[in-house]
PDB file of all heavy atoms in Angstrom:
ATOM      1  N   LYS A  86     -46.132  54.435  -5.705  1.00 52.00           N
ATOM      2  CA  LYS A  86     -46.415  54.030  -7.085  1.00 52.00           C
ATOM      3  C   LYS A  86     -46.216  52.541  -7.249  1.00 52.00           C
ATOM      4  O   LYS A  86     -45.319  51.968  -6.644  1.00 52.00           O
ATOM      5  CB  LYS A  86     -45.518  54.796  -8.052  1.00 52.00           C
ATOM      6  CG  LYS A  86     -45.995  54.670  -9.503  1.00 52.00           C
ATOM      7  CD  LYS A  86     -45.297  55.672 -10.393  1.00 52.00           C
ATOM      8  CE  LYS A  86     -45.865  55.584 -11.796  1.00 52.00           C
ATOM      9  NZ  LYS A  86     -45.212  56.543 -12.705  1.00 52.00           N
ATOM     10  N   ASN A  87     -47.023  51.935  -8.054  1.00 70.00           N
ATOM     11  CA  ASN A  87     -46.948  50.492  -8.273  1.00 70.00           C
ATOM     12  C   ASN A  87     -45.668  50.143  -9.026  1.00 70.00           C
ATOM     13  O   ASN A  87     -45.500  50.501 -10.191  1.00 70.00           O
ATOM     14  CB  ASN A  87     -48.176  50.043  -9.078  1.00 70.00           C
ATOM     15  CG  ASN A  87     -48.295  48.529  -9.086  1.00 70.00           C
ATOM     16  OD1 ASN A  87     -47.316  47.815  -9.031  1.00 70.00           O
ATOM     17  ND2 ASN A  87     -49.522  48.037  -9.160  1.00 70.00           N
ATOM     18  N   LEU A  88     -44.786  49.441  -8.340  1.00 78.00           N
ATOM     19  CA  LEU A  88     -43.511  49.080  -8.962  1.00 78.00           C
ATOM     20  C   LEU A  88     -43.699  48.124 -10.135  1.00 78.00           C
ATOM     21  O   LEU A  88     -42.883  48.077 -11.050  1.00 78.00           O
ATOM     22  CB  LEU A  88     -42.578  48.469  -7.919  1.00 78.00           C
ATOM     23  CG  LEU A  88     -42.028  49.442  -6.875  1.00 78.00           C
ATOM     24  CD1 LEU A  88     -41.204  48.704  -5.829  1.00 78.00           C
ATOM     25  CD2 LEU A  88     -41.178  50.517  -7.528  1.00 78.00           C
ATOM     26  N   LYS A  89     -44.767  47.362 -10.106  1.00 80.00           N
ATOM     27  CA  LYS A  89     -45.057  46.460 -11.225  1.00 80.00           C
ATOM     28  C   LYS A  89     -45.307  47.261 -12.492  1.00 80.00           C
ATOM     29  O   LYS A  89     -44.869  46.890 -13.583  1.00 80.00           O
ATOM     30  CB  LYS A  89     -46.263  45.593 -10.884  1.00 80.00           C
ATOM     31  CG  LYS A  89     -46.457  44.413 -11.824  1.00 80.00           C
ATOM     32  CD  LYS A  89     -45.350  43.395 -11.636  1.00 80.00           C
ATOM     33  CE  LYS A  89     -45.612  42.167 -12.529  1.00 80.00           C
ATOM     34  NZ  LYS A  89     -44.501  41.207 -12.440  1.00 80.00           N
ATOM     35  N   ASP A  90     -46.026  48.375 -12.328  1.00 80.00           N
ATOM     36  CA  ASP A  90     -46.288  49.231 -13.492  1.00 80.00           C
ATOM     37  C   ASP A  90     -44.993  49.841 -14.017  1.00 80.00           C
ATOM     38  O   ASP A  90     -44.784  49.949 -15.232  1.00 80.00           O
ATOM     39  CB  ASP A  90     -47.264  50.347 -13.111  1.00 80.00           C
ATOM     40  CG  ASP A  90     -48.662  49.803 -12.815  1.00 80.00           C
ATOM     41  OD1 ASP A  90     -48.946  48.666 -13.246  1.00 80.00           O
ATOM     42  OD2 ASP A  90     -49.437  50.500 -12.137  1.00 80.00           O
ATOM     43  N   ILE A  91     -44.117  50.257 -13.091  1.00 81.00           N
ATOM     44  CA  ILE A  91     -42.838  50.822 -13.513  1.00 81.00           C
ATOM     45  C   ILE A  91     -42.016  49.792 -14.279  1.00 81.00           C
ATOM     46  O   ILE A  91     -41.420  50.090 -15.316  1.00 81.00           O
ATOM     47  CB  ILE A  91     -42.034  51.324 -12.279  1.00 81.00           C
ATOM     48  CG1 ILE A  91     -42.778  52.478 -11.608  1.00 81.00           C
ATOM     49  CG2 ILE A  91     -40.629  51.748 -12.675  1.00 81.00           C
ATOM     50  CD1 ILE A  91     -42.105  52.975 -10.353  1.00 81.00           C
ATOM     51  N   GLN A  92     -42.004  48.560 -13.766  1.00 83.00           N
ATOM     52  CA  GLN A  92     -41.279  47.487 -14.444  1.00 83.00           C
ATOM     53  C   GLN A  92     -41.814  47.288 -15.852  1.00 83.00           C
ATOM     54  O   GLN A  92     -41.046  47.157 -16.806  1.00 83.00           O
ATOM     55  CB  GLN A  92     -41.387  46.192 -13.647  1.00 83.00           C
ATOM     56  CG  GLN A  92     -40.725  45.003 -14.335  1.00 83.00           C
ATOM     57  CD  GLN A  92     -40.875  43.714 -13.554  1.00 83.00           C
ATOM     58  OE1 GLN A  92     -41.290  43.725 -12.384  1.00 83.00           O
ATOM     59  NE2 GLN A  92     -40.560  42.593 -14.169  1.00 83.00           N
ATOM     60  N   GLU A  93     -43.125  47.269 -15.988  1.00 83.00           N
ATOM     61  CA  GLU A  93     -43.733  47.043 -17.306  1.00 83.00           C
ATOM     62  C   GLU A  93     -43.391  48.175 -18.260  1.00 83.00           C
ATOM     63  O   GLU A  93     -43.076  47.938 -19.443  1.00 83.00           O
ATOM     64  CB  GLU A  93     -45.257  46.926 -17.134  1.00 83.00           C
ATOM     65  CG  GLU A  93     -45.966  46.537 -18.423  1.00 83.00           C
ATOM     66  CD  GLU A  93     -47.461  46.332 -18.207  1.00 83.00           C
ATOM     67  OE1 GLU A  93     -47.891  46.233 -17.044  1.00 83.00           O
ATOM     68  OE2 GLU A  93     -48.180  46.269 -19.213  1.00 83.00           O
ATOM     69  N   GLU A  94     -43.406  49.394 -17.770  1.00 84.00           N
ATOM     70  CA  GLU A  94     -43.094  50.534 -18.628  1.00 84.00           C
ATOM     71  C   GLU A  94     -41.628  50.522 -19.057  1.00 84.00           C
ATOM     72  O   GLU A  94     -41.302  50.785 -20.221  1.00 84.00           O
ATOM     73  CB  GLU A  94     -43.419  51.836 -17.888  1.00 84.00           C
ATOM     74  CG  GLU A  94     -44.914  52.066 -17.667  1.00 84.00           C
ATOM     75  CD  GLU A  94     -45.172  53.263 -16.767  1.00 84.00           C
ATOM     76  OE1 GLU A  94     -44.195  53.916 -16.357  1.00 84.00           O
ATOM     77  OE2 GLU A  94     -46.349  53.553 -16.493  1.00 84.00           O
ATOM     78  N   LEU A  95     -40.760  50.210 -18.108  1.00 86.00           N
ATOM     79  CA  LEU A  95     -39.329  50.194 -18.430  1.00 86.00           C
ATOM     80  C   LEU A  95     -38.963  49.101 -19.418  1.00 86.00           C
ATOM     81  O   LEU A  95     -38.120  49.295 -20.300  1.00 86.00           O
ATOM     82  CB  LEU A  95     -38.512  50.019 -17.140  1.00 86.00           C
ATOM     83  CG  LEU A  95     -38.319  51.266 -16.268  1.00 86.00           C
ATOM     84  CD1 LEU A  95     -37.812  50.884 -14.892  1.00 86.00           C
ATOM     85  CD2 LEU A  95     -37.356  52.242 -16.936  1.00 86.00           C
ATOM     86  N   THR A  96     -39.580  47.934 -19.266  1.00 86.00           N
ATOM     87  CA  THR A  96     -39.251  46.823 -20.167  1.00 86.00           C
ATOM     88  C   THR A  96     -39.862  46.980 -21.553  1.00 86.00           C
ATOM     89  O   THR A  96     -39.497  46.251 -22.475  1.00 86.00           O
ATOM     90  CB  THR A  96     -39.706  45.486 -19.554  1.00 86.00           C
ATOM     91  OG1 THR A  96     -41.093  45.570 -19.192  1.00 86.00           O
ATOM     92  CG2 THR A  96     -38.883  45.147 -18.318  1.00 86.00           C
ATOM     93  N   LYS A  97     -40.778  47.917 -21.695  1.00 87.00           N
ATOM     94  CA  LYS A  97     -41.375  48.181 -23.011  1.00 87.00           C
ATOM     95  C   LYS A  97     -40.746  49.398 -23.695  1.00 87.00           C
ATOM     96  O   LYS A  97     -40.906  49.575 -24.903  1.00 87.00           O
ATOM     97  CB  LYS A  97     -42.882  48.406 -22.875  1.00 87.00           C
ATOM     98  CG  LYS A  97     -43.663  47.136 -22.577  1.00 87.00           C
ATOM     99  CD  LYS A  97     -45.141  47.423 -22.505  1.00 87.00           C
ATOM    100  CE  LYS A  97     -45.951  46.141 -22.232  1.00 87.00           C
ATOM    101  NZ  LYS A  97     -47.406  46.418 -22.139  1.00 87.00           N
ATOM    102  N   ASP A  98     -40.060  50.219 -22.920  1.00 86.00           N
ATOM    103  CA  ASP A  98     -39.448  51.429 -23.457  1.00 86.00           C
ATOM    104  C   ASP A  98     -38.213  51.057 -24.282  1.00 86.00           C
ATOM    105  O   ASP A  98     -37.274  50.446 -23.761  1.00 86.00           O
ATOM    106  CB  ASP A  98     -39.041  52.351 -22.301  1.00 86.00           C
ATOM    107  CG  ASP A  98     -38.606  53.738 -22.797  1.00 86.00           C
ATOM    108  OD1 ASP A  98     -38.142  53.847 -23.936  1.00 86.00           O
ATOM    109  OD2 ASP A  98     -38.720  54.698 -22.013  1.00 86.00           O
ATOM    110  N   PRO A  99     -38.190  51.393 -25.579  1.00 85.00           N
ATOM    111  CA  PRO A  99     -37.046  50.996 -26.419  1.00 85.00           C
ATOM    112  C   PRO A  99     -35.733  51.668 -26.017  1.00 85.00           C
ATOM    113  O   PRO A  99     -34.650  51.213 -26.393  1.00 85.00           O
ATOM    114  CB  PRO A  99     -37.469  51.433 -27.829  1.00 85.00           C
ATOM    115  CG  PRO A  99     -38.497  52.495 -27.609  1.00 85.00           C
ATOM    116  CD  PRO A  99     -39.203  52.128 -26.340  1.00 85.00           C
ATOM    117  N   PHE A 100     -35.826  52.768 -25.239  1.00 85.00           N
ATOM    118  CA  PHE A 100     -34.617  53.459 -24.802  1.00 85.00           C
ATOM    119  C   PHE A 100     -34.020  52.864 -23.516  1.00 85.00           C
ATOM    120  O   PHE A 100     -32.909  53.205 -23.141  1.00 85.00           O
ATOM    121  CB  PHE A 100     -34.910  54.950 -24.581  1.00 85.00           C
ATOM    122  CG  PHE A 100     -35.201  55.690 -25.848  1.00 85.00           C
ATOM    123  CD1 PHE A 100     -36.511  56.007 -26.177  1.00 85.00           C
ATOM    124  CD2 PHE A 100     -34.204  56.052 -26.723  1.00 85.00           C
ATOM    125  CE1 PHE A 100     -36.807  56.689 -27.348  1.00 85.00           C
ATOM    126  CE2 PHE A 100     -34.482  56.731 -27.897  1.00 85.00           C
ATOM    127  CZ  PHE A 100     -35.790  57.050 -28.220  1.00 85.00           C
ATOM    128  N   THR A 101     -34.770  52.011 -22.852  1.00 87.00           N
ATOM    129  CA  THR A 101     -34.273  51.401 -21.611  1.00 87.00           C
ATOM    130  C   THR A 101     -34.155  49.887 -21.693  1.00 87.00           C
ATOM    131  O   THR A 101     -33.246  49.301 -21.118  1.00 87.00           O
ATOM    132  CB  THR A 101     -35.190  51.768 -20.432  1.00 87.00           C
ATOM    133  OG1 THR A 101     -36.526  51.321 -20.719  1.00 87.00           O
ATOM    134  CG2 THR A 101     -35.193  53.265 -20.172  1.00 87.00           C
ATOM    135  N   GLU A 102     -35.050  49.248 -22.430  1.00 87.00           N
ATOM    136  CA  GLU A 102     -35.027  47.788 -22.546  1.00 87.00           C
ATOM    137  C   GLU A 102     -33.763  47.366 -23.300  1.00 87.00           C
ATOM    138  O   GLU A 102     -33.424  47.928 -24.343  1.00 87.00           O
ATOM    139  CB  GLU A 102     -36.285  47.304 -23.279  1.00 87.00           C
ATOM    140  CG  GLU A 102     -36.485  45.794 -23.223  1.00 87.00           C
ATOM    141  CD  GLU A 102     -35.775  45.076 -24.367  1.00 87.00           C
ATOM    142  OE1 GLU A 102     -35.765  45.605 -25.494  1.00 87.00           O
ATOM    143  OE2 GLU A 102     -35.191  44.012 -24.100  1.00 87.00           O
ATOM    144  N   SER A 103     -33.052  46.393 -22.723  1.00 85.00           N
ATOM    145  CA  SER A 103     -31.775  45.881 -23.225  1.00 85.00           C
ATOM    146  C   SER A 103     -30.626  46.862 -23.018  1.00 85.00           C
ATOM    147  O   SER A 103     -29.482  46.571 -23.402  1.00 85.00           O
ATOM    148  CB  SER A 103     -31.852  45.496 -24.717  1.00 85.00           C
ATOM    149  OG  SER A 103     -32.741  44.427 -24.885  1.00 85.00           O
ATOM    150  N   PHE A 104     -30.899  48.023 -22.460  1.00 87.00           N
ATOM    151  CA  PHE A 104     -29.835  48.972 -22.129  1.00 87.00           C
ATOM    152  C   PHE A 104     -29.716  49.150 -20.613  1.00 87.00           C
ATOM    153  O   PHE A 104     -28.644  49.025 -20.041  1.00 87.00           O
ATOM    154  CB  PHE A 104     -30.114  50.324 -22.788  1.00 87.00           C
ATOM    155  CG  PHE A 104     -29.135  51.388 -22.430  1.00 87.00           C
ATOM    156  CD1 PHE A 104     -27.798  51.292 -22.796  1.00 87.00           C
ATOM    157  CD2 PHE A 104     -29.538  52.512 -21.719  1.00 87.00           C
ATOM    158  CE1 PHE A 104     -26.893  52.283 -22.452  1.00 87.00           C
ATOM    159  CE2 PHE A 104     -28.634  53.505 -21.372  1.00 87.00           C
ATOM    160  CZ  PHE A 104     -27.306  53.398 -21.748  1.00 87.00           C
ATOM    161  N   LEU A 105     -30.835  49.396 -19.972  1.00 90.00           N
ATOM    162  CA  LEU A 105     -30.851  49.534 -18.515  1.00 90.00           C
ATOM    163  C   LEU A 105     -31.539  48.365 -17.816  1.00 90.00           C
ATOM    164  O   LEU A 105     -31.358  48.165 -16.621  1.00 90.00           O
ATOM    165  CB  LEU A 105     -31.530  50.838 -18.109  1.00 90.00           C
ATOM    166  CG  LEU A 105     -30.732  52.119 -18.375  1.00 90.00           C
ATOM    167  CD1 LEU A 105     -31.588  53.344 -18.085  1.00 90.00           C
ATOM    168  CD2 LEU A 105     -29.453  52.159 -17.557  1.00 90.00           C
ATOM    169  N   VAL A 106     -32.341  47.605 -18.552  1.00 90.00           N
ATOM    170  CA  VAL A 106     -33.051  46.484 -17.939  1.00 90.00           C
ATOM    171  C   VAL A 106     -33.370  45.460 -19.016  1.00 90.00           C
ATOM    172  O   VAL A 106     -33.552  45.817 -20.199  1.00 90.00           O
ATOM    173  CB  VAL A 106     -34.352  46.974 -17.244  1.00 90.00           C
ATOM    174  CG1 VAL A 106     -35.354  47.515 -18.253  1.00 90.00           C
ATOM    175  CG2 VAL A 106     -34.970  45.891 -16.382  1.00 90.00           C
ATOM    176  N   ASN A 107     -33.414  44.173 -18.645  1.00 90.00           N
ATOM    177  CA  ASN A 107     -33.772  43.138 -19.619  1.00 90.00           C
ATOM    178  C   ASN A 107     -35.278  42.937 -19.638  1.00 90.00           C
ATOM    179  O   ASN A 107     -36.029  43.483 -18.807  1.00 90.00           O
ATOM    180  CB  ASN A 107     -33.054  41.824 -19.306  1.00 90.00           C
ATOM    181  CG  ASN A 107     -33.527  41.210 -17.997  1.00 90.00           C
ATOM    182  OD1 ASN A 107     -34.039  41.905 -17.123  1.00 90.00           O
ATOM    183  ND2 ASN A 107     -33.341  39.915 -17.839  1.00 90.00           N
ATOM    184  N   LYS A 108     -35.746  42.168 -20.596  1.00 88.00           N
ATOM    185  CA  LYS A 108     -37.190  41.968 -20.750  1.00 88.00           C
ATOM    186  C   LYS A 108     -37.798  41.289 -19.539  1.00 88.00           C
ATOM    187  O   LYS A 108     -38.943  41.571 -19.155  1.00 88.00           O
ATOM    188  CB  LYS A 108     -37.479  41.136 -22.005  1.00 88.00           C
ATOM    189  CG  LYS A 108     -37.458  41.937 -23.302  1.00 88.00           C
ATOM    190  CD  LYS A 108     -37.934  41.078 -24.451  1.00 88.00           C
ATOM    191  CE  LYS A 108     -38.013  41.899 -25.742  1.00 88.00           C
ATOM    192  NZ  LYS A 108     -39.061  42.940 -25.656  1.00 88.00           N
ATOM    193  N   ALA A 109     -37.063  40.366 -18.916  1.00 87.00           N
ATOM    194  CA  ALA A 109     -37.589  39.648 -17.765  1.00 87.00           C
ATOM    195  C   ALA A 109     -37.667  40.530 -16.512  1.00 87.00           C
ATOM    196  O   ALA A 109     -38.351  40.180 -15.541  1.00 87.00           O
ATOM    197  CB  ALA A 109     -36.726  38.423 -17.474  1.00 87.00           C
ATOM    198  N   GLY A 110     -36.963  41.643 -16.531  1.00 86.00           N
ATOM    199  CA  GLY A 110     -37.033  42.570 -15.405  1.00 86.00           C
ATOM    200  C   GLY A 110     -36.275  42.099 -14.174  1.00 86.00           C
ATOM    201  O   GLY A 110     -36.580  42.547 -13.064  1.00 86.00           O
ATOM    202  N   ASN A 111     -35.265  41.256 -14.361  1.00 90.00           N
ATOM    203  CA  ASN A 111     -34.475  40.806 -13.204  1.00 90.00           C
ATOM    204  C   ASN A 111     -32.988  41.143 -13.335  1.00 90.00           C
ATOM    205  O   ASN A 111     -32.190  40.781 -12.481  1.00 90.00           O
ATOM    206  CB  ASN A 111     -34.642  39.302 -12.993  1.00 90.00           C
ATOM    207  CG  ASN A 111     -34.094  38.480 -14.150  1.00 90.00           C
ATOM    208  OD1 ASN A 111     -33.883  39.005 -15.253  1.00 90.00           O
ATOM    209  ND2 ASN A 111     -33.870  37.212 -13.919  1.00 90.00           N
ATOM    210  N   VAL A 112     -32.610  41.814 -14.414  1.00 92.00           N
ATOM    211  CA  VAL A 112     -31.220  42.234 -14.612  1.00 92.00           C
ATOM    212  C   VAL A 112     -31.202  43.681 -15.049  1.00 92.00           C
ATOM    213  O   VAL A 112     -31.930  44.073 -15.953  1.00 92.00           O
ATOM    214  CB  VAL A 112     -30.494  41.370 -15.666  1.00 92.00           C
ATOM    215  CG1 VAL A 112     -29.073  41.884 -15.891  1.00 92.00           C
ATOM    216  CG2 VAL A 112     -30.470  39.912 -15.262  1.00 92.00           C
ATOM    217  N   THR A 113     -30.379  44.459 -14.394  1.00 92.00           N
ATOM    218  CA  THR A 113     -30.168  45.846 -14.792  1.00 92.00           C
ATOM    219  C   THR A 113     -28.684  46.092 -14.944  1.00 92.00           C
ATOM    220  O   THR A 113     -27.867  45.187 -14.733  1.00 92.00           O
ATOM    221  CB  THR A 113     -30.770  46.822 -13.755  1.00 92.00           C
ATOM    222  OG1 THR A 113     -30.638  48.162 -14.257  1.00 92.00           O
ATOM    223  CG2 THR A 113     -30.058  46.719 -12.417  1.00 92.00           C
ATOM    224  N   ALA A 114     -28.328  47.284 -15.342  1.00 92.00           N
ATOM    225  CA  ALA A 114     -26.924  47.658 -15.473  1.00 92.00           C
ATOM    226  C   ALA A 114     -26.794  49.131 -15.129  1.00 92.00           C
ATOM    227  O   ALA A 114     -27.723  49.910 -15.343  1.00 92.00           O
ATOM    228  CB  ALA A 114     -26.416  47.402 -16.882  1.00 92.00           C
ATOM    229  N   PHE A 115     -25.663  49.477 -14.570  1.00 92.00           N
ATOM    230  CA  PHE A 115     -25.365  50.899 -14.389  1.00 92.00           C
ATOM    231  C   PHE A 115     -24.017  51.187 -15.028  1.00 92.00           C
ATOM    232  O   PHE A 115     -23.138  50.325 -15.093  1.00 92.00           O
ATOM    233  CB  PHE A 115     -25.422  51.339 -12.925  1.00 92.00           C
ATOM    234  CG  PHE A 115     -24.639  50.508 -11.964  1.00 92.00           C
ATOM    235  CD1 PHE A 115     -23.318  50.824 -11.653  1.00 92.00           C
ATOM    236  CD2 PHE A 115     -25.218  49.414 -11.336  1.00 92.00           C
ATOM    237  CE1 PHE A 115     -22.598  50.067 -10.749  1.00 92.00           C
ATOM    238  CE2 PHE A 115     -24.504  48.661 -10.423  1.00 92.00           C
ATOM    239  CZ  PHE A 115     -23.194  48.982 -10.136  1.00 92.00           C
ATOM    240  N   TYR A 116     -23.869  52.406 -15.506  1.00 93.00           N
ATOM    241  CA  TYR A 116     -22.742  52.786 -16.348  1.00 93.00           C
ATOM    242  C   TYR A 116     -21.965  53.912 -15.671  1.00 93.00           C
ATOM    243  O   TYR A 116     -22.535  54.949 -15.324  1.00 93.00           O
ATOM    244  CB  TYR A 116     -23.223  53.234 -17.725  1.00 93.00           C
ATOM    245  CG  TYR A 116     -23.993  52.167 -18.460  1.00 93.00           C
ATOM    246  CD1 TYR A 116     -25.354  51.972 -18.207  1.00 93.00           C
ATOM    247  CD2 TYR A 116     -23.376  51.363 -19.397  1.00 93.00           C
ATOM    248  CE1 TYR A 116     -26.076  50.980 -18.868  1.00 93.00           C
ATOM    249  CE2 TYR A 116     -24.081  50.377 -20.072  1.00 93.00           C
ATOM    250  CZ  TYR A 116     -25.433  50.189 -19.798  1.00 93.00           C
ATOM    251  OH  TYR A 116     -26.132  49.206 -20.447  1.00 93.00           O
ATOM    252  N   ILE A 117     -20.649  53.694 -15.518  1.00 94.00           N
ATOM    253  CA  ILE A 117     -19.781  54.663 -14.856  1.00 94.00           C
ATOM    254  C   ILE A 117     -18.932  55.339 -15.931  1.00 94.00           C
ATOM    255  O   ILE A 117     -18.089  54.699 -16.565  1.00 94.00           O
ATOM    256  CB  ILE A 117     -18.868  53.979 -13.824  1.00 94.00           C
ATOM    257  CG1 ILE A 117     -19.708  53.161 -12.838  1.00 94.00           C
ATOM    258  CG2 ILE A 117     -18.002  54.997 -13.098  1.00 94.00           C
ATOM    259  CD1 ILE A 117     -18.904  52.153 -12.036  1.00 94.00           C
ATOM    260  N   GLU A 118     -19.168  56.616 -16.137  1.00 92.00           N
ATOM    261  CA  GLU A 118     -18.436  57.352 -17.164  1.00 92.00           C
ATOM    262  C   GLU A 118     -17.247  58.067 -16.551  1.00 92.00           C
ATOM    263  O   GLU A 118     -17.387  58.829 -15.592  1.00 92.00           O
ATOM    264  CB  GLU A 118     -19.372  58.362 -17.838  1.00 92.00           C
ATOM    265  CG  GLU A 118     -18.741  59.070 -19.019  1.00 92.00           C
ATOM    266  CD  GLU A 118     -19.716  59.998 -19.727  1.00 92.00           C
ATOM    267  OE1 GLU A 118     -20.932  59.705 -19.701  1.00 92.00           O
ATOM    268  OE2 GLU A 118     -19.253  61.018 -20.283  1.00 92.00           O
ATOM    269  N   ILE A 119     -16.063  57.800 -17.093  1.00 92.00           N
ATOM    270  CA  ILE A 119     -14.826  58.414 -16.595  1.00 92.00           C
ATOM    271  C   ILE A 119     -14.718  59.835 -17.121  1.00 92.00           C
ATOM    272  O   ILE A 119     -15.054  60.118 -18.272  1.00 92.00           O
ATOM    273  CB  ILE A 119     -13.609  57.580 -17.024  1.00 92.00           C
ATOM    274  CG1 ILE A 119     -13.724  56.151 -16.458  1.00 92.00           C
ATOM    275  CG2 ILE A 119     -12.311  58.213 -16.553  1.00 92.00           C
ATOM    276  CD1 ILE A 119     -12.678  55.206 -16.991  1.00 92.00           C
ATOM    277  N   ALA A 120     -14.245  60.743 -16.268  1.00 89.00           N
ATOM    278  CA  ALA A 120     -14.131  62.160 -16.636  1.00 89.00           C
ATOM    279  C   ALA A 120     -13.233  62.319 -17.866  1.00 89.00           C
ATOM    280  O   ALA A 120     -12.260  61.583 -18.049  1.00 89.00           O
ATOM    281  CB  ALA A 120     -13.578  62.962 -15.468  1.00 89.00           C
ATOM    282  N   LYS A 121     -13.557  63.286 -18.684  1.00 84.00           N
ATOM    283  CA  LYS A 121     -12.808  63.538 -19.901  1.00 84.00           C
ATOM    284  C   LYS A 121     -11.358  63.891 -19.585  1.00 84.00           C
ATOM    285  O   LYS A 121     -11.074  64.684 -18.693  1.00 84.00           O
ATOM    286  CB  LYS A 121     -13.458  64.686 -20.685  1.00 84.00           C
ATOM    287  CG  LYS A 121     -12.873  64.898 -22.069  1.00 84.00           C
ATOM    288  CD  LYS A 121     -13.633  65.965 -22.821  1.00 84.00           C
ATOM    289  CE  LYS A 121     -13.062  66.142 -24.228  1.00 84.00           C
ATOM    290  NZ  LYS A 121     -13.798  67.195 -24.977  1.00 84.00           N
ATOM    291  N   GLY A 122     -10.431  63.297 -20.312  1.00 81.00           N
ATOM    292  CA  GLY A 122      -9.016  63.558 -20.118  1.00 81.00           C
ATOM    293  C   GLY A 122      -8.396  62.778 -18.970  1.00 81.00           C
ATOM    294  O   GLY A 122      -7.204  62.925 -18.700  1.00 81.00           O
ATOM    295  N   LYS A 123      -9.179  61.945 -18.293  1.00 85.00           N
ATOM    296  CA  LYS A 123      -8.683  61.183 -17.153  1.00 85.00           C
ATOM    297  C   LYS A 123      -8.666  59.670 -17.415  1.00 85.00           C
ATOM    298  O   LYS A 123      -8.425  58.899 -16.497  1.00 85.00           O
ATOM    299  CB  LYS A 123      -9.543  61.458 -15.908  1.00 85.00           C
ATOM    300  CG  LYS A 123      -9.570  62.911 -15.493  1.00 85.00           C
ATOM    301  CD  LYS A 123      -8.206  63.371 -14.996  1.00 85.00           C
ATOM    302  CE  LYS A 123      -8.238  64.789 -14.480  1.00 85.00           C
ATOM    303  NZ  LYS A 123      -6.923  65.227 -13.977  1.00 85.00           N
ATOM    304  N   ASN A 124      -8.901  59.280 -18.654  1.00 84.00           N
ATOM    305  CA  ASN A 124      -9.020  57.858 -18.975  1.00 84.00           C
ATOM    306  C   ASN A 124      -7.649  57.242 -19.191  1.00 84.00           C
ATOM    307  O   ASN A 124      -7.245  56.929 -20.311  1.00 84.00           O
ATOM    308  CB  ASN A 124      -9.904  57.681 -20.209  1.00 84.00           C
ATOM    309  CG  ASN A 124     -10.253  56.223 -20.463  1.00 84.00           C
ATOM    310  OD1 ASN A 124     -10.020  55.361 -19.618  1.00 84.00           O
ATOM    311  ND2 ASN A 124     -10.824  55.954 -21.621  1.00 84.00           N
ATOM    312  N   ASN A 125      -6.894  57.076 -18.091  1.00 82.00           N
ATOM    313  CA  ASN A 125      -5.608  56.409 -18.162  1.00 82.00           C
ATOM    314  C   ASN A 125      -5.567  55.266 -17.152  1.00 82.00           C
ATOM    315  O   ASN A 125      -6.496  55.099 -16.364  1.00 82.00           O
ATOM    316  CB  ASN A 125      -4.459  57.395 -17.920  1.00 82.00           C
ATOM    317  CG  ASN A 125      -4.600  58.135 -16.602  1.00 82.00           C
ATOM    318  OD1 ASN A 125      -4.645  57.526 -15.535  1.00 82.00           O
ATOM    319  ND2 ASN A 125      -4.672  59.460 -16.660  1.00 82.00           N
TER     320      ASN A 125
END
């Protein structure tokens, strides 16, 4: 699959843009969720 197309779709998706990827498509983020009751 064309990765350029994926980049364009992700940067236009309001649920991913600024959350998982920036508009320029060169910065992403991943989120590590701690198990419930273990946040010490």
Side-chain angles (χ1 to χ4, degrees):
K86 194 167 184 180
N87 191 329
L88 290 175
K89 193 69 176 176
D90 292 341
I91 295 177
Q92 176 181 348
E93 187 176 346
E94 291 172 2
L95 282 166
T96 53
K97 287 182 179 179
D98 190 333
F100 292 102
T101 58
E102 191 272 322
S103 295
F104 176 65
L105 288 173
V106 66
N107 66 337
K108 279 188 176 294
N111 64 342
V112 177
T113 185
F115 51 91
Y116 301 83
I117 306 164
E118 186 176 330
I119 300 172
K121 189 175 181 180
K123 300 293 184 179
N124 189 11
N125 56 59

